[in-house]
Amino acid sequence: MKALGVEVVPTGRWHCEIKYDGYRSLAVINPGSIALWSRARKSMTLEFPQIVRALEKLKCRNAVLDGEIVALDPAGRSRFQLLQGRAVGERTAPLAYFIFDLLYLDGISLVNQPLEERRKRLEALLARSSSPLQLSHAFE
């Protein structure tokens, strides 16, 4: 979902997450196949093999994850310039895939489930994973 601007924030309880400075990406995991897709439906799989290798280690049959691929500076902050530099051969900055939603898991679509339920399942899926897969931090 693309963020949209509003004049006034509606009242109520809100779940907020950090806006990372990277490439939005859907990860599609199937038996023997992992694909990364941009919002513009461009394949990103070959550009980020270390993210693909980390996704291969997740304990699931299949899944669709929504997140953002970022390049990190020495202080651990995402920097879009570092990510863009990869396109011209600068590949020294470490990468992370900050995942904020789980849309499909082990044959079950979760898109109609409340965000809290999807988040709980995402946390369980990522519980034993390590860098570069990261759960996107949320706060109210």
Side-chain angles (χ1 to χ4, degrees):
M1 179 182 294
K2 193 171 183 179
L4 301 173
V6 295
E7 294 295 322
V8 178
V9 176
T11 59
R13 189 171 146 242
W14 288 92
H15 170 105
C16 303
E17 297 183 38
I18 296 168
K19 168 58 178 108
Y20 296 100
D21 208 8
Y23 295 144
R24 182 80 177 264
S25 179
L26 280 178
V28 180
I29 302 170
N30 283 304
S33 167
I34 294 182
L36 295 171
W37 295 97
S38 74
R39 186 172 27 214
R41 296 183 180 104
K42 175 185 173 245
S43 176
M44 303 167 69
T45 308
L46 297 178
E47 294 174 58
F48 302 104
Q50 59 275 59
I51 304 293
V52 171
R53 284 192 301 273
L55 290 166
E56 288 171 342
K57 296 176 184 174
L58 289 178
K59 303 294 184 210
C60 63
R61 290 188 319 272
N62 48 35
V64 177
L65 305 161
D66 194 359
E68 194 154 350
I69 297 172
V70 301
L72 303 172
D73 71 10
R77 296 174 298 220
S78 64
R79 296 281 187 235
F80 194 69
Q81 297 83 355
L82 295 173
L83 199 53
Q84 286 181 309
R86 296 177 59 80
V88 293
E90 300 170 16
R91 299 189 181 262
T92 58
L95 295 177
Y97 183 38
F98 284 95
I99 305 167
F100 44 80
D101 207 351
L102 177 61
L103 305 173
Y104 190 89
L105 180 64
D106 292 335
I108 300 170
S109 173
L110 303 174
V111 293
N112 292 320
Q113 296 295 314
L115 177 62
E116 294 82 5
E117 177 63 26
R118 296 192 317 265
R119 180 78 178 193
K120 186 177 6 173
R121 290 180 185 221
L122 177 58
E123 289 173 0
L125 181 63
L126 296 177
R128 288 182 233 117
S129 70
S130 61
S131 186
L133 304 182
Q134 301 291 324
L135 181 65
S136 176
H137 299 288
F139 53 95
E140 291 193 29

